[in-house]
Structures are given as structure tokens and as C-alpha cells.
Amino acid sequence: MYRYLFFDADGTLFDFEQAEHNAFWKMAESLSLPLERKHEQDYTRCNAEVWKQFEKGEVTIDELKVKRFANFASETGIFLDAEEASRSYQYQLSGQGILFDESITVLETLKERGYTLFLATNGIAEVQRGRIAVSNTERYFDHIFISEELGYQKPDPRFFAHMFEVTGLGEQKQFSLMIGDSLSSDIAGGIASGMDTLWLNKEGKPQDPKVQPTYTHNSLSSVLDFLNGPL
């Protein structure tokens, strides 16, 4: 029986796509940038490319914050100060604590049933801490693990090793469950660390034969049925 639940944040509890959308246009407004709708897609592509470089160790997190906007400006011809845009975007994004409709119900119900909850998220600490505060969700978690603060990001085994060291659950992995929407970070990292995993496949993505989660569910609310009852 599971007792300790490690939740991913973005795409699992938080609607990060909507948060990014809101932050992008608030940043553009604050800097009076003459952007069109297609520019959001351009930024999304530039951002994803730089995050991939970061995952490969080709850029640091500080370089990532600015480079994505420098690349965006270069590709689109939009004149902007990349450092200024980065600061504005991070500020705007940190205020976007947008949860999925069922997130609070799931967290409250699991706490009432006696489960111990943790949050394990990749991302920029300033942004994630701000969004957690705005959403008033910190109260549900015994500890919050953010990749920038740890110095490692999922699926790096050091991220998970740090979690088990802090929580003291290294000898109780059989009672721990990693819940997330990303096969490549949440599920692959959980498997490599010796945890059982629950993949939230909300969009019906194809299974990767190289990454086999312990369980697969298509909605966050179904987790309540799966963990059906108090401890």
C-alpha cells in the first residue's frame, strides 16, 4: 500500500500551457512589443529548443533564461532586450498559479485520507515558488523539491536521491509513488530510482516501449479511485 505520493507540478496539477500563454502576452504588453499571434508559437519553439540544450548540459539555467529570448528576437526580427524580456516574463509567469479544475479536490481528499504528499518539479525556483504561493498549494505538501534549488532536474537520479535523503524514505520506496505526466522525466526518473510510477496520460499519447510505468491513468481525478480509501 502506498503512503507517500510524489506529485509532479506542471501538466499534472498545474496548467502550465495556460500559464505560459498568459505570461507571454503580459510580458509583451509590459514591454510594448509589437507582437502578433504567430509570435507566441515562435517563442514556444525557441523556448523548447533551449530547454533541450539545458537538459543535455549545453547551457546553464541562467543562460537558458536569456538565450530563449535572444533566439526569439533573432528568428523573428523583433527588437527587444533579452535580459529585460526574461525578467519580465519570469515575473509574469511567477504569478500564474493556474491549477487544473480537479487538483484541489484531489490534494485535499488525499490529505484527508492520510497520505503524505510531496511536490517534485523541474523549473526555475522563482517562478515555481511564486506559482505555488499564488495557488495556495504549499500547505498540502510536506516538502517541495524544485530542480533549480537542487541543482539537478528530473530524470537525473540525483534529483530522486536527494528527495529520498531529505524525506528519509530511501528504505521505504515500496510505499512511495511518483505521479506525473512526463514519461521522459517523471516516469523514467522514478523507475530508475526504484519507485513505482503512475503516468497521467491525459492526451492519449502513445506508450514508449522503453519506459514502462507501473500504472497509467487518463485523468488526475482517477487517482482518487485508484487510492480508494483512508490509510
Side-chain angles (χ1 to χ4, degrees), residues 101-226:
D101 291 341
E102 63 269 35
S103 296
I104 292 297
T105 297
V106 168
L107 293 173
E108 287 188 345
T109 303
L110 290 173
K111 287 293 285 186
E112 290 171 358
R113 291 178 181 176
Y115 290 93
T116 300
L117 310 183
F118 303 97
L119 192 68
T121 177
N122 287 343
I124 297 169
E126 173 193 2
V127 170
Q128 300 300 65
R129 289 289 178 186
R131 296 170 63 229
I132 292 165
V134 169
S135 64
N136 194 29
T137 50
E138 184 172 6
R139 57 201 169 106
Y140 296 111
F141 304 107
D142 278 35
H143 199 91
I144 293 171
F145 301 94
I146 301 175
S147 61
E148 186 180 29
E149 294 177 346
L150 273 62
Y152 317 110
Q153 71 169 10
K154 298 174 293 181
D156 191 319
R158 292 173 292 183
F159 184 104
F160 292 85
H162 180 87
M163 289 197 314
F164 285 121
E165 180 180 355
V166 170
T167 60
L169 296 176
E171 301 301 320
Q172 301 186 65
K173 291 183 182 180
Q174 71 270 31
F175 303 119
S176 303
L177 183 67
M178 180 72 219
I179 301 171
D181 69 303
S182 173
L183 279 176
S184 61
S185 63
D186 306 317
I187 306 308
I191 293 171
S193 71
M195 298 177 70
D196 282 358
T197 59
L198 190 155
W199 180 35
L200 287 181
N201 187 13
K202 300 178 182 180
E203 300 175 358
K205 297 178 180 178
Q207 176 71 59
D208 182 347
K210 297 179 181 179
V211 183
Q212 296 290 334
T214 315
Y215 314 99
T216 299
H217 287 251
N218 60 13
S219 71
L220 181 61
S221 58
S222 70
V223 174
L224 294 182
D225 294 327
F226 173 66

Side-chain angles (χ1 to χ4, degrees), residues 13-104:
L13 297 172
F14 288 81
D15 187 342
F16 193 61
E17 288 188 4
Q18 186 62 49
E20 284 189 308
H21 170 79
N22 292 353
F24 180 80
W25 291 107
K26 286 178 178 292
M27 176 274 296
E29 181 181 8
S30 71
L31 301 181
S32 300
L33 298 178
L35 301 185
E36 301 174 6
R37 288 298 169 186
K38 66 182 182 66
H39 289 130
E40 183 176 7
Q41 295 179 339
D42 294 330
Y43 168 74
T44 298
R45 185 183 67 258
C46 292
N47 184 42
E49 290 172 352
V50 178
W51 272 103
K52 288 180 182 178
Q53 293 173 3
F54 171 68
E55 291 172 359
K56 295 177 182 177
E58 297 172 355
V59 297
T60 67
I61 190 67
D62 288 332
E63 290 170 336
L64 175 150
K65 296 173 185 177
V66 177
K67 185 175 181 179
R68 53 188 175 177
F69 286 100
N71 290 358
F72 169 72
S74 176
E75 290 193 18
T76 61
I78 298 293
F79 179 78
L80 57 79
D81 182 317
E83 292 189 358
E84 182 182 38
S86 176
R87 287 192 297 270
S88 176
Y89 179 73
Q90 285 182 217
Y91 172 76
Q92 299 295 347
L93 188 57
S94 68
Q96 300 295 317
I98 305 170
L99 296 163
F100 292 117
D101 291 341
E102 63 269 35
S103 296
I104 292 297

